[in-house]
């Protein structure tokens, strides 16, 4: 059973918000669209100041580009979460679509490395103890 990608994309837009202009996330990483990081490190203060010049950060991206970035990022999150689930002895395809969607959403928002750190949740999922997994 597979989740509906359109529902996942709507969830991600609701959780992350859609921004069609460049912005700095709370960590100072240049970002656009629906949480699409344009790098992995905070931008240096001097560069950040230079980017504050009118016209640099306020040029909007076309909505189709924002949507394409979201689909690509969500697809990558799905792939990484499926791999992580297999490594944790969890049959991703046997999960309900809602559970699959939640895991991919978490992978998108937290990153797969941080999601992998929820070891008690993964252990509970492997046992099919979904109440315990949700509690973790």
């Amino acid at each position: 059973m597979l989740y509906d990608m359109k529902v996942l994309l709507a969830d991600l837009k609701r959780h992350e918000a859609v921004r069609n202009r460049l912005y700095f996330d709370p960590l100072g990483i240049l970002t656009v669209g629906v949480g699409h990081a344009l790098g992995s490190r905070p931008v240096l203060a001097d560069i950040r100041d230079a980017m504050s010049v009118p016209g640099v950060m306020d040029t909007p991206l076309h909505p189709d580009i924002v949507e394409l970035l979201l689909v690509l990022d969500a697809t990558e999150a799905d792939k990484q979460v499926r791999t992580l689930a297999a490594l944790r002895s969890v049959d991703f395809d046997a999960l309900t679509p809602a559970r699959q969607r939640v895991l991919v959403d978490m992978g998108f928002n937290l990153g797969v490395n941080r999601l992998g750190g929820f070891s008690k949740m993964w252990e509970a999922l492997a046992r099919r103890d979904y109440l315990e997994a949700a509690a973790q």
Side-chain angles (χ1 to χ4, degrees), residues 3-54:
Y3 64 91
D4 185 338
M5 178 63 91
K6 289 181 183 179
V7 175
L8 173 68
L9 297 178
D11 288 347
L12 293 172
K13 287 176 184 176
R14 190 173 58 256
H15 298 154
E16 283 280 323
V18 179
R19 299 187 189 184
N20 67 346
R21 289 177 168 78
L22 295 170
Y23 66 97
F24 292 102
D25 76 0
L27 299 176
I29 296 172
L30 191 59
T31 307
V32 70
V34 185
H36 179 82
L38 297 174
S40 59
R41 296 185 177 149
V43 175
L44 298 173
D46 291 345
I47 295 172
R48 195 173 178 158
D49 290 345
M51 293 181 76
S52 67
V53 172

